[in-house]
Amino acid sequence: MNMRAVVAEGIGSFFLFACVIGSGIMATNLSQGNNAIALLGNTLATGAILYVLIAMLGPISGAHFNPAVSLVSASRGDLTWRVATVYIVAQVVFGILGALAAHLMFDLPILQMSAKARTGLGQWVGEAIATFGLILTILGTVRHRPNWVPATVALYITAAYWFTSSTSFANPAITIARSLSDTFAGIAPQDVPPFVLAQLLGAAMAAALSRFLFDD
């Protein structure tokens, strides 16, 4: 087991999740009720931190920060299932710590449960499409333009925040963490299971298609 890789996954998840939630809080505080401006601020911060974290930690762990990515990597034989499991635990645990740190930074109650409903067929389809596109972006860029991975992933998520009905969580771990934050980025706990199911379905479809598109 490469502990440096596991630590990299934990640190990356911490900063990514803290950024998503923290920038949502900051955007809400500054936007004076304009949700479009709040989403724009949240989007730009998330895209920026993704580029930095993938460029910095990608050479160590692959910079997954996302159980869907780790599961697809294991299914393709790029990771063992044991390593993928440890990655996922690190992503969830340190991601939740990132969410709690965001609350602490903004003087909010550290322990929260979101009341923000995110449900319905449109949002579930949005999550499946968001995750499908993310996995396809990663696998295609790794195959053909590996040096571009930080940019393509960051740009994809920046775009998907706006073209998907769900604002592109595309990550089971961050979906769990956001259920513990009653803020702009939150999701009600009861809405987490169908979001995660949609994400895994989208990831599985992308993994299958990528074998046809990208594999020799």
Side-chain angles (χ1 to χ4, degrees), residues 8-194:
E9 283 298 301
I11 292 297
S13 298
F14 176 91
F15 277 101
L16 175 59
F17 295 17
C19 178
V20 170
I21 293 171
S23 65
I25 297 168
M26 178 68 84
T28 300
N29 291 345
L30 297 179
S31 64
Q32 300 181 346
N34 188 324
N35 286 336
I37 296 298
L39 181 60
L40 180 60
N42 193 208
T43 302
L44 293 175
T46 301
I49 198 68
L50 269 171
Y51 184 95
V52 171
L53 292 173
I54 295 170
M56 175 175 60
L57 299 174
I60 302 173
S61 69
H64 296 184
F65 320 139
N66 185 336
V69 176
S70 298
L71 289 172
V72 169
S73 294
S75 74
R76 292 171 57 84
D78 299 329
L79 286 181
T80 67
W81 287 104
R82 178 170 175 265
V83 170
T85 300
V86 176
Y87 269 26
I88 291 168
V89 171
Q91 292 156 4
V92 173
V93 171
F94 282 87
I96 289 173
L97 291 176
L100 302 183
H103 298 158
L104 184 61
M105 287 190 287
F106 287 93
D107 293 322
L108 297 176
I110 296 176
L111 299 177
Q112 305 180 20
M113 296 294 283
S114 179
K116 189 166 187 175
R118 296 181 188 264
T119 189
L121 180 61
Q123 297 226 28
W124 301 334
V125 171
E127 272 305 286
I129 290 174
T131 313
F132 176 89
L134 174 62
I135 298 299
L136 210 61
T137 297
I138 293 169
L139 294 178
T141 312
V142 166
R143 175 69 176 82
H144 295 295
R145 296 286 190 275
N147 291 336
W148 290 18
V149 172
T152 57
V153 173
L155 289 171
Y156 175 82
I157 291 296
T158 298
Y161 258 53
W162 287 85
F163 81 76
T164 63
S165 54
S166 62
T167 66
S168 184
F169 287 44
N171 181 332
I174 205 168
T175 306
I176 294 169
R178 289 169 70 162
S179 75
L180 303 176
S181 183
D182 194 22
T183 62
F184 180 80
I187 176 173
Q190 65 268 23
D191 296 333
V192 168

